[in-house]
Amino acid sequence: MARQKHIYLDEVDMPKQWYNLAPDLPTPLNPPLGPDGKPVTPEMLAPVFPMNLIEQEVSQERWIDIPEEIREHLFRWRPSPLVRAYELEAALGTPAKIYYKNEGVSPAGSHKPNTAIPQAWYNKQFGIKKLTTETGAGQWGSALSFACSVIGGIECKVFMVRVSFEQKPFRKMLMNTWGGTCVASPSMETQAGRDILAQYPDTPGSLGIAISEAVEAAVSDPTGKTRYTLGSVLNHVMLHQSIIGLEAKKQLAKVGIDKPDVVIGCCGGGSNFAGISFPFMYDKIHGADIQIIGAEPFSCPTLTKAPFIYDNGDVAQMTPLLAMHSLGHNFVPAPIHAGGLRYHGMAPLVSAALRDGLMEAQAIHQSECFEAGLLFSKTEGIIPAPETTHAIAAVIREAKKAKEEGKEKTILFNFSGHGLMDLVGYDKYLNGELHDYEYPESEIALNLEKLQGYPLPK
Amino acid sequence: MARQKHIYLDEVDMPKQWYNLAPDLPTPLNPPLGPDGKPVTPEMLAPVFPMNLIEQEVSQERWIDIPEEIREHLFRWRPSPLVRAYELEAALGTPAKIYYKNEGVSPAGSHKPNTAIPQAWYNKQFGIKKLTTETGAGQWGSALSFACSVIGGIECKVFMVRVSFEQKPFRKMLMNTWGGTCVASPSMETQAGRDILAQYPDTPGSLGIAISEAVEAAVSDPTGKTRYTLGSVLNHVMLHQSIIGLEAKKQLAKVGIDKPDVVIGCCGGGSNFAGISFPFMYDKIHGADIQIIGAEPFSCPTLTKAPFIYDNGDVAQMTPLLAMHSLGHNFVPAPIHAGGLRYHGMAPLVSAALRDGLMEAQAIHQSECFEAGLLFSKTEGIIPAPETTHAIAAVIREAKKAKEEGKEKTILFNFSGHGLMDLVGYDKYLNGELHDYEYPESEIALNLEKLQGYPLPK
């Protein structure tokens, strides 16, 4: 077959259904639990999310239709290209074929709009006029602002962790350009924010506080027309992201590849990893020999070191208890540059897949990741987001292994986003100012001890 | 025909030759002149550029082969998609079909790598080990760093205007990530820089000084292995950019469009405009009815207000005299946010096309441009670079005209780059802090008076 770097898919061939891993899991998913230890009912979630998304959250349907209007919104950048990394392969001298799904082509520069568009659309369908959310590094807040902007008729309000808000003014400008509102959290706009500011006027803020504010702003709207959104972790987010892997399958088939041998994604909350890998887990469950690897930061080793337990999704303990791998909801990860991977927990679907042996995980230091990111920039040309470099580092490990073994493996990975707005990490790496962090074993143990009395997943 | 937003071109269908407008001009191009008023010979340019690029600069061949290795480097992001702006059309309620060539998909985010790759490659072929250049806003310096990085074996040194260097630290990081070196100009590394700093230690720098430094750094290398590069204006740059329009032609044909009715690009030095329009000028010269519009800033009205004269390409008067529209080489444009359009002159090929009636020009205030950019962001989703918003504003004018006239025109424009690294202008616009600038008629007249005694083009 002739050398072909980009494999495109026609719009008519973009998947018409999302794939839901839940019904195919060998062991059934443990339900989210309320403070009373009983499963949370859809009705209990109704003040926070619209019922059409709650239905997706709890669905046991394998295939869920993508509404035609959502498909048209996604056509702004989808189907995303599948790209053969010829230049990276050559630099590594590997016999492996490396393919990546370039999710950096979205207007917001990452895979996040894949779920921002459907979330905004379903909320609008449900009569919602305003969405709230929190953002750390700013990727999710940008994606949701983008989605609300292009869908129209729905406001977007983002609570951004104050220290990031101040350090990354361009992220706020990006949200503003798409018509979103972004305030530093804690803010004076919610009771939660005012309480914290009264006590700690100089607090740098945290994702936990920002979540509290975003949820409060949603549930306290007297018109009932505001809802909260989350960019990862939840089942319906994984569902929306499955379009990545479904497209990749079709694109691989176009170049005569029946199945990849290895599928790799980086793992923070789990959404981009789930997006690329779940459709291949379906094949694996049905007998295909596919190695599936989640790459995470060594300093936040959720999949590689944390127990599979019930824990809150947030520091403020506002969310239901989720069955997942967790370092404890009080765990504060080291300040690595891959902000999107600094999460104490994991999407319950990803954790279930790990527990059931459908995937494995690798923890990688950020210096190895930035080195991988630089090699990618100098071969393929695109500068990866710090999060994405974790996947690339794992790919390089596998490609070198293939070289040692002399095997012509096909490696597929998710290029979850470009790094044009996150260059500070590269700058520090090049100036020798980047630190690697060990995971704080004793602190994690201490955090986990506090969870005694929490129910245990089956 | 079914709704199809993206029109891709297979790699095998990417043009194998660039198009050179020079031999097709109704009136022959006026040659560049030396300080003695005599045409510059290729030998005189040899210390500055490699001979293989000088040959392209003076070539009268209509079609010039693209070496296979360059094609493979371009495949990293080319052929770029042609996109139907359905959502923008709907927002305008226009019967016009609007298509844009998305050059923002390059790793550097603009059309500049289309010429950076061949320039670096030809220099390397010629045995050159290091390239120097200047950069204002940073787009060209980034593109050249990218090109040197992926081609390998060739260093890149960028002199960046000091005020931009300090205001835009991310641009420097971007160049560094690709292995380029970027210093604030004036620097202590050249005689030109040292002289200026001795006299004005606090100077903000200027593009003129940066050019002087970059040229000096090239010609003064005792090994003779350093050359200078320019990202616009020159004939060989226009040649390399012609791939944009050549691809667009093939893509329009794929959706059954014989020819566009209107072709639009923004004009600074002329390279992205030439890239999209020159292949259609060929058709126009051969009888096709195509309106071709260059959009420029009202505050820097080179095509709409300046005379067609011989003038220096730079403030420091180091370049040969070029036959072009010029506001005078001492003209300092107002500080608009489209840094890439703040140039006193114009590519001689573009100026010749204007003189020969092959195109027309429109001058637009930046507030109209940012408004157009916001509409584009909220419909198509991608945030355009400030330069690109000038093309979009002109497109909107034409689309509204088509609506008034009830004509189903096809409008094609060059989306020259995304604005993810240039959000400050949007921020100011949204905060009501953006000013429009009239062009300083008396200052221009004064600058032009100083050119008395310069030869006149035929």
Side-chain angles (χ1 to χ4, degrees):
Chain A
M1 191 161 293
R3 187 186 192 281
Q4 189 189 352
K5 190 159 179 72
H6 285 75
I7 300 133
Y8 292 108
L9 207 60
D10 286 339
E11 281 154 28
V12 291
D13 294 325
M14 191 175 82
K16 294 187 172 62
Q17 297 182 309
W18 289 299
Y19 170 65
N20 181 15
L21 178 67
D24 290 318
L25 280 174
T27 319
L29 212 52
N30 289 275
L33 305 179
D36 57 358
K38 289 183 184 160
V40 170
T41 63
E43 291 67 33
M44 291 162 74
L45 295 171
V48 184
F49 301 108
M51 198 48 77
N52 45 15
L53 284 176
I54 295 172
E55 280 164 18
Q56 290 188 350
E57 185 64 19
V58 301
S59 174
Q60 285 289 319
E61 294 293 319
R62 178 173 296 126
W63 297 103
I64 293 179
D65 288 344
I66 308 177
E68 193 51 34
E69 274 189 37
I70 289 183
R71 293 182 82 244
E72 289 201 358
H73 283 300
L74 296 177
F75 285 153
R76 284 191 178 81
W77 74 97
R78 300 206 76 85
S80 71
L82 180 73
V83 191
R84 172 90 182 261
Y86 285 113
E87 286 80 9
L88 178 62
E89 291 171 19
L92 296 171
T94 180
K97 293 178 187 173
I98 303 173
Y99 287 91
Y100 61 95
K101 194 67 174 147
N102 186 358
E103 293 296 311
V105 299
S106 83
S110 80
H111 67 294
K112 293 285 184 193
N114 295 336
T115 185
I117 288 280
Q119 288 196 49
W121 189 86
Y122 281 111
N123 270 286
K124 186 177 177 182
Q125 285 291 107
F126 196 69
I128 299 305
K129 300 288 182 199
K130 184 176 177 178
L131 294 178
T132 67
T133 198
E134 73 287 338
T135 201
Q139 277 284 14
W140 171 241
S142 307
L144 191 68
S145 297
F146 156 74
C148 290
S149 175
V150 297
I151 286 175
I154 190 156
E155 267 182 80
C156 175
K157 171 91 177 195
V158 180
F159 293 87
M160 185 167 182
V161 177
R162 190 203 268 184
V163 60
S164 299
F165 183 90
E166 285 165 2
Q167 282 172 359
K168 301 191 169 193
F170 294 107
R171 279 287 172 191
K172 173 181 174 281
M173 291 183 198
L174 185 56
M175 295 180 228
N176 291 163
T177 301
W178 277 313
T181 312
C182 176
V183 292
S185 166
S187 75
M188 292 299 285
E189 300 185 17
T190 66
Q191 196 55 49
R194 288 188 292 272
D195 287 351
I196 295 274
L197 285 173
Q199 225 181 327
Y200 311 102
D202 297 324
T203 174
S206 74
L207 213 49
I209 300 168
I211 293 177
S212 306
E213 289 203 81
V215 174
E216 181 187 327
V219 301
S220 64
D221 174 4
T223 71
K225 298 289 188 196
T226 301
R227 289 295 182 278
Y228 168 73
T229 63
L230 203 61
S232 193
V233 180
L234 299 179
N235 300 344
H236 67 271
V237 178
M238 308 299 127
L239 177 77
H240 301 154
Q241 294 292 358
S242 69
I243 196 166
I244 301 172
L246 293 169
E247 284 180 4
K249 255 191 202 188
K250 290 189 170 193
Q251 287 162 310
L252 286 173
K254 280 183 85 171
V255 287
I257 295 173
D258 187 35
K259 68 158 189 71
D261 299 294
V262 188
V263 177
I264 295 174
C266 63
C267 279
S271 78
N272 98 75
F273 170 79
I276 191 90
S277 68
F278 281 7
F280 295 99
M281 281 191 195
Y282 176 87
D283 297 336
K284 189 166 180 167
I285 291 164
H286 292 84
D289 180 17
I290 304 175
Q291 189 186 7
I292 298 175
I293 304 172
E296 66 180 8
F298 196 89
S299 58
C300 190
T302 318
L303 291 169
T304 48
K305 297 287 175 185
F308 180 66
I309 53 179
Y310 264 116
D311 194 4
N312 298 102
D314 66 319
V315 191
Q317 296 173 272
M318 294 195 57
T319 72
L321 293 176
L322 302 173
M324 60 184 177
H325 294 81
S326 175
L327 298 161
H329 60 257
N330 283 309
F331 179 67
V332 179
I336 56 164
H337 287 278
L341 306 185
R342 296 176 68 240
Y343 184 59
H344 70 277
M346 186 52 60
L349 278 168
V350 172
S351 276
L354 180 66
R355 179 199 56 183
D356 288 349
L358 294 171
M359 62 172 286
E360 58 201 85
Q362 291 182 10
I364 312 182
H365 274 306
Q366 67 174 347
S367 56
E368 182 178 340
C369 297
F370 277 108
E371 196 188 326
L374 280 176
L375 180 62
F376 196 86
S377 306
K378 290 177 184 183
T379 52
E380 297 301 307
I382 316 174
I383 297 175
E387 290 80 2
T388 311
T389 62
H390 287 72
I392 297 170
V395 167
I396 291 173
R397 287 179 177 187
E398 294 306 312
K400 286 181 176 168
K401 206 184 288 173
K403 187 181 179 179
E404 285 160 20
E405 297 170 353
K407 283 188 186 163
E408 203 191 281
K409 287 180 182 173
T410 297
I411 302 172
L412 167 71
F413 78 97
N414 196 7
F415 186 91
S416 54
H418 67 64
L420 288 183
M421 296 191 77
D422 293 284
L423 293 168
V424 175
Y426 287 98
D427 190 52
K428 293 209 166 151
Y429 178 79
L430 291 168
N431 291 322
E433 295 164 9
L434 198 82
H435 304 293
D436 281 333
Y437 300 92
E438 299 297 312
Y439 65 95
E441 215 163 338
S442 57
E443 193 205 313
I444 293 171
L446 220 65
N447 279 334
L448 292 174
E449 267 174 35
K450 290 184 191 154
L451 303 184
Q452 277 179 2
Y454 275 52
L456 285 174
K458 282 174 197 157
Chain B
M1 189 160 293
R3 188 186 192 280
Q4 189 191 351
K5 190 158 179 73
H6 285 75
I7 300 131
Y8 293 107
L9 206 59
D10 287 337
E11 281 155 27
V12 292
D13 295 325
M14 190 175 83
K16 294 186 173 62
Q17 296 182 309
W18 289 299
Y19 170 65
N20 180 14
L21 178 66
D24 290 319
L25 280 174
T27 318
L29 212 51
N30 290 274
L33 304 179
D36 58 358
K38 288 183 184 161
V40 170
T41 63
E43 291 68 33
M44 291 164 73
L45 294 171
V48 184
F49 301 108
M51 197 48 75
N52 47 14
L53 284 175
I54 295 172
E55 279 164 19
Q56 291 188 350
E57 184 64 20
V58 300
S59 173
Q60 285 290 318
E61 294 293 318
R62 179 175 296 126
W63 297 102
I64 293 178
D65 287 345
I66 308 177
E68 194 52 35
E69 274 189 35
I70 289 182
R71 292 182 81 242
E72 289 200 358
H73 282 299
L74 296 176
F75 285 153
R76 284 190 177 80
W77 74 97
R78 300 207 75 85
S80 71
L82 180 74
V83 191
R84 173 87 182 262
Y86 286 114
E87 286 80 10
L88 178 62
E89 291 171 18
L92 295 170
T94 179
K97 293 179 188 171
I98 302 173
Y99 286 92
Y100 60 97
K101 193 71 173 145
N102 186 358
E103 294 296 311
V105 297
S106 84
S110 81
H111 68 294
K112 293 285 185 191
N114 296 336
T115 185
I117 288 281
Q119 288 195 49
W121 190 86
Y122 280 112
N123 270 284
K124 186 179 176 181
Q125 285 290 109
F126 195 68
I128 299 306
K129 300 289 180 197
K130 184 175 178 179
L131 294 178
T132 67
T133 199
E134 75 286 337
T135 201
Q139 277 283 12
W140 171 241
S142 307
L144 191 67
S145 297
F146 157 74
C148 290
S149 176
V150 297
I151 286 176
I154 191 156
E155 269 183 78
C156 176
K157 171 90 177 196
V158 180
F159 293 86
M160 185 168 182
V161 177
R162 189 201 268 182
V163 59
S164 299
F165 182 91
E166 285 164 2
Q167 282 173 359
K168 301 192 168 190
F170 294 107
R171 280 286 173 192
K172 174 181 172 282
M173 292 182 198
L174 185 55
M175 294 180 230
N176 291 164
T177 301
W178 277 312
T181 311
C182 177
V183 294
S185 167
S187 75
M188 290 300 283
E189 301 185 16
T190 65
Q191 195 56 49
R194 288 188 293 270
D195 287 351
I196 296 273
L197 286 173
Q199 222 180 334
Y200 310 102
D202 298 324
T203 174
S206 74
L207 213 48
I209 300 168
I211 293 176
S212 305
E213 288 203 83
V215 174
E216 181 188 326
V219 300
S220 65
D221 175 2
T223 71
K225 297 291 187 194
T226 301
R227 291 293 183 280
Y228 168 74
T229 63
L230 203 63
S232 192
V233 180
L234 299 180
N235 300 344
H236 67 272
V237 178
M238 307 300 127
L239 178 77
H240 301 154
Q241 294 292 357
S242 68
I243 197 166
I244 302 172
L246 293 170
E247 284 180 5
K249 253 191 201 187
K250 289 188 169 192
Q251 287 162 309
L252 286 173
K254 280 183 85 171
V255 288
I257 295 174
D258 186 36
K259 66 158 190 73
D261 299 294
V262 188
V263 177
I264 294 174
C266 63
C267 280
S271 77
N272 98 74
F273 170 77
I276 190 92
S277 69
F278 280 8
F280 294 99
M281 280 193 196
Y282 176 88
D283 298 336
K284 189 165 179 168
I285 291 165
H286 292 84
D289 180 16
I290 305 175
Q291 191 185 7
I292 298 174
I293 303 172
E296 66 180 7
F298 197 89
S299 57
C300 189
T302 317
L303 291 169
T304 48
K305 295 290 175 185
F308 180 66
I309 53 177
Y310 263 117
D311 194 3
N312 297 101
D314 65 320
V315 192
Q317 294 172 275
M318 294 195 57
T319 73
L321 293 176
L322 302 173
M324 59 185 179
H325 294 82
S326 174
L327 300 161
H329 61 257
N330 283 308
F331 178 68
V332 180
I336 57 165
H337 287 278
L341 305 185
R342 296 176 67 239
Y343 184 60
H344 71 277
M346 185 53 60
L349 278 168
V350 173
S351 275
L354 180 66
R355 179 200 55 184
D356 288 349
L358 295 171
M359 61 172 286
E360 59 203 83
Q362 291 182 8
I364 312 180
H365 274 306
Q366 68 174 347
S367 56
E368 182 178 340
C369 296
F370 277 107
E371 196 187 327
L374 280 175
L375 180 62
F376 196 86
S377 307
K378 290 178 183 182
T379 52
E380 297 300 308
I382 316 174
I383 297 175
E387 291 80 2
T388 311
T389 63
H390 287 72
I392 298 170
V395 167
I396 291 174
R397 287 179 177 185
E398 294 306 312
K400 286 182 176 168
K401 207 184 288 174
K403 186 180 180 180
E404 284 162 19
E405 296 169 353
K407 282 189 186 162
E408 203 192 283
K409 286 180 182 173
T410 297
I411 302 172
L412 167 70
F413 78 98
N414 197 8
F415 187 90
S416 53
H418 67 64
L420 288 183
M421 298 192 74
D422 293 283
L423 294 167
V424 174
Y426 288 98
D427 190 53
K428 292 211 166 151
Y429 178 79
L430 290 167
N431 291 322
E433 295 164 8
L434 198 82
H435 304 294
D436 281 333
Y437 300 92
E438 298 297 312
Y439 64 95
E441 215 163 338
S442 56
E443 193 206 311
I444 292 171
L446 221 62
N447 279 334
L448 292 175
E449 268 174 35
K450 289 183 193 156
L451 303 183
Q452 277 178 3
Y454 275 52
L456 285 174
K458 282 174 197 157

